[in-house]
């Protein structure tokens, strides 16, 4: 997906179309017509369970990490457990704001301890093989209810592209929260202002600055999924055949390749800009690939290299028009082992 996800719309406080929207939860009066739930532990767990997929989607957009998103959802459950839920009029809205606050704190503490340089960072992907979602991370622990609709939760999580997540990493924590919660989940600025400790007008400016950054990074509209897969396959065929011209034909002149090798493969982390430079890297990469599995990552065509039955590298294609505008390569062995793919799925890889 591109910086501006296809077909997604929101309505901001003035009624204008925003960017990357999902249906928000604010403005409702209560949830399911229920108010007092604190005295019923089972009911409280069911109510949280009903919101868990959306909370995970919020946290994933805020953090770009599936494991950290699960941690944030778990912390939100603990805060709910300690709160007076009987006093909460709109539980879904309350949970959305709380998970946003938790993520904001995590982002602020993350800045000084990030191991990978931001320039090379590739967010955690949500990978699908044959329609089944595989994601990094777990369902949480310590008593938090697990999602009962994993397919729906996966859809909410994967509906944001890696290209957008990379752009979100360049925002300040407060900008990211204002953009994600307002533009994507329709949280009113009055409520966000309390979270970021600013006035509603200043919070609106945070979202506006973030929105401009996202729009400026948008490469344009993408073709339908079938056409995107055809373009990705054409790239792979040309790379396997050493077809320099064939590769240039499907690459945007300003294409960017971002590779993240993590802590163990730091030497492979790099950013390559321009079609000819990316072609050289693609041809070199193809010589080492043993077997490949065609997958979908965050809604985009992708290919997973498999060596000795284990994931070795994941390449995700971002396509606008009929050209590849970005390639995101995850080569971090530690994160690749947590993709959640089964042995049977990995065995489908072909030379």
């Amino acid at each position: 997906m591109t910086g501006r996800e296809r077909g997604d719309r929101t309505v901001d406080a003035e009624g204008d179309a925003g960017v990357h929207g999902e249906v928000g939860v604010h403005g409702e009066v209560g949830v399911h017509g229920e108010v007092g739930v604190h005295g019923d532990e089972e009911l409280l767990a069911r109510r949280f369970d009903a919101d868990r997929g959306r909370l995970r989607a919020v946290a994933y957009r805020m953090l770009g990490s599936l494991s950290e998103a699960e941690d944030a959802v778990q912390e939100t459950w603990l805060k709910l457990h300690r709160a007076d839920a009987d006093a909460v009029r709109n539980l879904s809205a309350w949970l959305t704001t709380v998970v946003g606050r938790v993520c904001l704190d995590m982002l602020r503490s993350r800045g000084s301890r990030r191991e990978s340089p931001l320039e090379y960072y590739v967010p955690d992907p949500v990978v699908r093989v044959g329609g089944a979602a595989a994601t990094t991370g777990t369902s949480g622990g310590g008593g938090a209810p697990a999602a009962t609709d994993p397919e729906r939760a996966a859809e909410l999580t994967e509906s944001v592209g890696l290209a957008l997540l990379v752009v979100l990493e360049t925002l300040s924590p407060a900008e990211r929260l204002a953009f994600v919660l307002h533009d994507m989940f329709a949280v009113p600025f009055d409520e966000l202002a309390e979270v970021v400790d600013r006035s509603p007008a200043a919070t609106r400016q945070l979202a506006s600055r973030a929105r401009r950054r996202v729009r400026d990074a948008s490469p344009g509209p993408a073709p339908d999924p079938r056409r995107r897969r055809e373009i990705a396959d054409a790239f792979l065929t040309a790379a396997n055949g050493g077809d320099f011209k064939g590769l240039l034909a499907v690459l945007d002149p300003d294409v960017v390749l971002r590779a993240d090798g993590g802590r163990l493969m730091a030497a492979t982390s790099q950013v390559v800009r321009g079609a000819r430079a990316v072609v050289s890297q693609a041809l070199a990469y193809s010589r080492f690939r043993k077997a490949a599995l065609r997958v979908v990552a965050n809604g985009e065509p992708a290919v997973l290299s498999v060596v000795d039955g284990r994931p070795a590298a994941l390449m995700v294609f971002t396509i606008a028009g009929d050209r590849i505008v970005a390639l995101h390569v995850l080569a971090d062995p530690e994160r690749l082992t947590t993709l959640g793919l089964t042995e049977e799925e990995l065995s489908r890889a072909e030379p």
Side-chain angles (χ1 to χ4, degrees), residues 5-26:
E5 295 183 83
R6 295 170 299 282
D8 290 344
R9 291 170 58 86
T10 57
V11 177
D12 66 17
E14 292 77 33
D16 296 329
V19 187
H20 314 293
E22 286 121 12
V23 176
V25 297
H26 293 257

Side-chain angles (χ1 to χ4, degrees), residues 1-8 18-20 164 214-215 217-221:
M1 290 190 184
T2 63
R4 178 177 297 176
E5 295 183 83
R6 295 170 299 282
D8 290 344
V19 187
H20 314 293
L164 173 60
V214 171
R215 285 174 174 164
S218 173

Side-chain angles (χ1 to χ4, degrees), residues 26 92-102 177 181 187 191 195:
H26 293 257
S92 291
W94 185 87
L95 289 171
T96 301
T97 303
V98 170
V99 77
R101 188 188 299 272
V102 170
L177 180 131
L181 264 65
V187 179
E191 296 181 24
V195 178

Side-chain angles (χ1 to χ4, degrees), residues 211-292:
R211 195 178 301 124
R212 286 195 298 270
R213 295 275 288 276
V214 171
R215 285 174 174 164
D216 289 345
S218 173
D224 62 72
R226 182 184 297 274
R227 179 59 182 151
R228 295 201 303 273
R229 174 54 72 181
E230 290 174 352
I231 294 170
D233 287 347
F235 174 93
L236 296 171
T237 299
N240 291 337
D243 184 355
F244 190 93
K245 290 184 178 180
L247 286 168
L248 284 178
V250 295
L251 291 174
D252 184 88
D254 298 319
V255 62
V256 177
L257 182 152
R258 178 176 281 102
D260 184 350
R263 180 175 59 88
L264 299 180
M265 296 285 288
T268 66
S269 296
Q270 61 180 324
V271 175
V272 180
R273 302 180 187 277
R276 290 185 175 273
V278 170
V279 166
S280 297
Q281 288 294 318
L283 293 176
Y285 168 78
S286 66
R287 292 197 294 269
F288 295 98
R289 194 176 65 197
K290 302 297 183 182

